Amino acid sequence: MILEPSSPELGHILSTLKSDNYIWSPYGLCSVGRSDSYYLKYNTQHDAPYWRGPVWININFLAIRALDHYSKVEGPHQKISKQLYTELRRNVVQNMYREFTKTGFIWEQYNCQTGKGQSVHPFTGWSSLVVLIMGEQY
């Protein structure tokens, strides 16, 4: 991990992670914060906001992995790291499972506002990281 477990910067990141206008959602972390001027904005008239808002499993995997690490090392942020880890892991797994049972597909990305699978399907590229998340293999 990049930050020391006692880092004040880590505390700031963890405290803002779950902020309502930031990247937290009931479905996973959004790729762009809802308060950002680029959130869900088209790149051009015909180029949808592909990376500007949806929940991407590769980004969530890295965040879950980091939260797992910080939840296991002594430091002032251990407890909040564990709480965020548990909730984010549950949000991602439950949403992907719900969408899979509803549609029969693993999706490339998930809508940050509804959790609905979107873009390419079936997609077992980085979305297959959910298996490692479920098995807690980081």
Side-chain angles (χ1 to χ4, degrees):
M1 297 297 123
I2 295 174
L3 293 174
E4 291 296 320
S6 60
S7 168
E9 288 84 7
L10 177 59
H12 176 71
I13 290 167
L14 295 174
S15 68
T16 58
L17 184 64
K18 201 170 173 189
S19 171
D20 288 339
N21 63 348
Y22 202 52
I23 60 175
W24 191 272
S25 86
Y27 315 107
L29 300 178
C30 306
S31 54
V32 174
R34 288 181 290 281
S35 63
D36 192 288
S37 62
Y38 287 105
Y39 179 69
L40 298 181
K41 298 290 190 249
Y42 274 63
N43 300 317
T44 67
Q45 180 182 359
H46 304 290
D47 188 12
Y50 190 68
W51 289 101
R52 296 180 175 182
V55 173
W56 291 85
I57 304 310
N58 53 342
I59 295 169
N60 279 266
F61 175 82
L62 294 173
I64 290 168
R65 179 180 175 215
L67 290 167
D68 178 61
H69 168 76
Y70 290 117
S71 74
K72 293 177 178 175
V73 295
E74 291 289 327
H77 312 297
Q78 186 176 16
K79 184 177 179 182
I80 187 66
S81 295
K82 181 63 175 176
Q83 291 169 343
L84 292 171
Y85 165 78
T86 301
E87 190 172 348
L88 180 57
R89 180 177 173 269
R90 182 178 53 241
N91 289 353
V92 169
V93 171
Q94 284 181 348
N95 187 62
M96 288 187 73
Y97 178 74
R98 184 173 39 253
E99 285 300 296
F100 180 78
T101 57
K102 193 168 20 172
T103 67
F105 295 112
I106 300 293
W107 295 79
E108 182 181 24
Q109 55 177 254
Y110 296 83
N111 186 290
C112 192
Q113 298 170 329
T114 66
K116 183 178 178 191
Q118 57 189 35
S119 200
V120 178
H121 68 285
F123 187 83
T124 53
W126 50 60
S127 293
S128 64
L129 288 168
V130 72
V131 175
L132 295 178
I133 295 169
M134 289 188 303
E136 297 183 283
Q137 299 296 310
Y138 311 112

